């Protein structure tokens, strides 16, 4: 199929994992796709995400595993440390059969996005006229009728599409335009998450994600693909403060107030933070959209449902959702609205599973006081003992059965 005016045209708003995975499959099906991403270039780095279960199966079916293997982060597991860096509990990847906090396959979010982008560009090169990939632009208005959606862009010309897919994350502009304000769908979960790249300290144990509890925060140092760098990861238990959004000075001040005097590598983290070019800081929220379909606009990934980074399921939800939506669109190319409805029904069980936080909410993960920190250290050591290991393994599983993945109409192609 060639890129003609009669070829169904899909707009994907958002160039992250969900949007790129969907666009890749649609181009391979012979469908015209426009991907619009607000960022001016692909975002590098990011924290490590895992592939297990259904998400690994999707990556395999799409022919992505050879490229993913080249970017895998070597991680042995999670080690809990005290203020002197002494380990008091371990969650080995091997001991937990890849079902703990660290899976067998870990890859930086930015690297996974790059694998998907490279595959998408290659698919577009193989099918000229089907792919329009735009960075540095965004959707500003939507107007739909029974036959399609008229879209206004910040920079590009207005255009009409058969289907618009909002894959633009937790703070989705597509969701706001077609479904309503974010406040209708977001629930604050009691804190903030932050991460950034820093030079790897000399005394960290290679391959281990080390984590420390302190009052009001947990902070850790996690391996990178490049051994000379690591990721600082922080979870902060504080009241919601709207003034923090977009204000890096306030964000850094909050982190500094919680980590100063916290021992271990707190000084290392604080010293690296001001110069970090990739600082991510956002509130921990759950996104619940009861119905991700509004006519010919459909939501995908975090825009439709998100349990926050505490679930560890965001990447899985994105990949599986993209696979299901692409499969239904491929099966009924002349009925995009119906395909979106069938996708919504199929993905719903997986979405609900993906919003469950292993072990409970932030109050179970981040101590609120010195006394709670001491209790958490003690209970962690007990929970990671051999006797209780099966219980913890069950806690970290996704919980429930993921939806079965249908066989795609179009066979996956290997990533070059």
């Amino acid at each position: 199929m060639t890129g003609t005016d009669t070829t169904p045209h899909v707009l994907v708003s958002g160039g992250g994992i969900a949007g790129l995975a969907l666009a890749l499959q649609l181009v391979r099906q012979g469908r015209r796709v426009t991907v619009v991403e607000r960022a001016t270039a692909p975002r590098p780095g990011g924290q490590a995400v895992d592939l297990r279960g259904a998400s690994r199966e999707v990556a395999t079916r799409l022919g992505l595993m050879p490229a993913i293997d080249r970017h895998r982060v070597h991680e042995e597991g999670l080690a809990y440390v005290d203020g002197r860096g002494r380990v008091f509990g371990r969650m080995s990847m091997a001991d937990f059969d890849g079902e703990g906090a660290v899976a067998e396959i870990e890859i930086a979010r930015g690297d996974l996005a790059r694998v998907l982008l490279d595959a998408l560009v290659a698919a577009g090169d193989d099918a000229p006229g089907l792919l329009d990939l735009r960075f540095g632009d965004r959707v500003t208005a939507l107007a739909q009728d029974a036959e399609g959606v008229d879209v206004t862009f910040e920079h590009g010309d207005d255009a009409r599409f058969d289907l618009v897919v909002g894959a633009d994350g937790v703070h989705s502009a597509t969701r706001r335009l077609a479904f309503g304000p974010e406040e209708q769908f977001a629930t604050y979960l009691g804190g903030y998450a932050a991460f950034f790249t820093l030079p790897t300290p000399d005394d960290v144990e290679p391959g281990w994600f080390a984590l420390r509890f302190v009052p009001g925060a947990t902070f850790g140092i996690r391996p990178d693909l490049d051994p000379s760098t690591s990721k600082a990861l922080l979870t902060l238990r504080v009241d919601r403060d709207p003034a923090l959004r977009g204000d890096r000075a306030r964000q850094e001040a909050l982190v500094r107030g919680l980590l100063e005097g916290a021992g271990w590598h707190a000084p290392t983290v604080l010293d690296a933070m001001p110069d970090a070019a990739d600082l991510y800081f956002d509130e921990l929220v759950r996104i619940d959209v009861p119905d991700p379909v509004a006519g010919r606009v459909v939501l995908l990934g975090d825009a439709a449902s998100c349990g926050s980074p505490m679930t560890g399921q965001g990447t899985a939800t994105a990949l599986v959702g993209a696979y299901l939506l692409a499969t239904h669109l491929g099966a009924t190319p002349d009925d995009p609205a119906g395909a979106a409805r069938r996708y919504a029904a199929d993905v719903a069980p997986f979405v609900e599973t993906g919003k469950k936080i292993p072990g409970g909410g932030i109050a179970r993960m981040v101590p609120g006081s010195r006394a709670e920190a001491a209790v958490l250290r003690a209970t962690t050591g007990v929970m990671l003992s051999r006797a209780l290991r099966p219980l913890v393994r069950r806690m970290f599983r996704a919980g429930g059965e993921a939806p079965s993945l249908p066989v795609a109409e179009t066979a996956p192609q290997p990533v070059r």
Side-chain angles (χ1 to χ4, degrees):
M1 185 176 289
T2 60
T4 67
D5 290 342
T6 60
T7 306
H9 196 177
V10 176
L11 171 66
V12 178
S13 177
I17 290 170
L20 293 174
L22 175 65
L24 170 62
Q25 295 168 88
L26 296 182
V27 171
R28 287 176 176 176
Q29 291 172 5
R31 188 178 289 260
R32 285 192 299 154
V33 180
T34 294
V35 180
V36 60
E37 165 56 47
R38 184 171 186 172
T40 56
R43 295 184 177 94
Q47 66 172 323
V49 298
D50 61 57
L51 296 177
R52 64 180 95 187
S55 61
R56 182 174 180 174
E57 177 65 19
V58 169
T60 299
R61 292 189 187 187
L62 298 185
L64 301 174
M65 287 308 301
I68 287 173
D69 284 340
R70 293 194 291 271
H71 294 87
R72 284 173 61 174
V73 177
H74 172 70
E75 283 193 297
E76 297 287 349
L78 178 62
Y80 295 90
V81 300
D82 63 16
R84 297 183 181 179
R86 298 173 298 190
V87 176
F88 62 85
R90 289 186 187 273
M91 185 179 293
S92 164
M93 183 274 292
D95 287 345
F96 282 82
D97 302 323
E99 296 289 348
V102 172
E104 180 183 358
I105 299 177
E106 299 276 347
I107 180 173
R109 183 180 298 275
D111 288 340
L112 179 56
R114 173 54 68 178
V115 167
L116 285 163
L117 179 61
D118 289 347
L120 175 59
V121 170
D125 290 343
D126 290 339
L130 291 184
L131 176 63
D132 179 11
L133 185 60
R134 308 180 194 172
F135 285 93
D137 203 355
R138 65 188 181 97
V139 175
T140 58
L142 300 170
Q144 66 170 305
D145 54 38
E147 302 300 323
V149 188
D150 294 313
V151 180
T152 302
F153 297 96
E154 183 175 26
H155 300 299
D157 293 336
D158 296 357
R160 185 169 175 83
F161 298 88
D162 296 282
L163 187 73
V164 171
V165 181
D168 43 352
V170 170
H171 304 297
S172 170
T174 309
R175 186 183 62 227
R176 175 176 53 80
L177 292 170
F179 293 78
E182 183 173 313
E183 292 74 20
Q184 293 183 8
F185 310 108
T187 301
Y188 184 64
L189 298 180
Y192 290 80
F195 58 82
F196 56 88
T197 302
L198 78 168
T200 300
D202 292 335
D203 61 347
V204 297
E205 192 173 6
W208 284 86
F209 174 15
L211 191 67
R212 170 152 167 74
F213 304 122
V214 296
T218 63
F219 69 102
I221 296 177
R222 190 169 193 173
D224 253 348
L225 179 64
D226 180 354
S228 69
T229 62
S230 297
K231 287 290 184 294
L233 279 81
L234 304 96
T235 304
L236 315 175
R237 182 179 169 184
V238 295
D239 293 336
R240 184 173 183 270
D241 181 2
L244 286 167
R245 187 167 182 180
D247 190 331
R248 178 156 178 167
R250 283 178 178 267
Q251 296 166 3
E252 292 190 15
L254 175 63
V255 173
R256 195 168 298 280
L258 291 169
L259 263 60
E260 281 184 338
W264 186 49
H265 276 297
T268 305
V269 170
L270 294 177
D271 287 347
M273 181 172 57
D275 296 326
D278 61 344
L279 174 65
Y280 167 93
F281 186 101
D282 202 359
E283 60 188 14
L284 294 167
V285 297
R286 188 178 70 244
I287 297 295
D288 299 288
V289 181
D291 184 353
V293 181
R296 287 180 177 251
V297 180
V298 57
L299 300 178
L300 177 66
D302 285 350
S305 173
C306 175
S308 85
M310 293 187 293
T311 69
Q313 294 293 313
T315 299
T317 302
L319 287 174
V320 172
Y323 185 86
L324 292 172
L325 180 55
T327 298
H328 285 297
L329 288 170
T332 57
D334 297 327
D335 183 20
R341 285 286 175 200
R342 290 185 285 277
Y343 142 78
D346 281 356
V347 80
F350 190 90
V351 162
E352 289 307 309
T353 295
K355 288 189 290 191
K356 296 178 181 178
I357 301 174
I362 195 170
R364 300 283 186 90
M365 297 181 173
V366 182
S369 64
R370 290 184 179 276
E372 287 184 15
V375 170
L376 190 54
R377 286 193 295 270
T379 56
T380 297
V382 173
M383 291 295 289
L384 294 180
S385 65
R386 183 178 297 274
L388 294 183
R389 190 174 297 162
L391 173 63
V392 180
R393 185 184 294 117
R394 288 195 296 271
M395 288 170 54
F396 274 89
R397 285 176 179 156
E401 294 296 325
S404 59
L405 297 174
V407 177
E409 295 288 330
T410 302
Q413 303 169 16
V415 178
R416 298 183 300 185

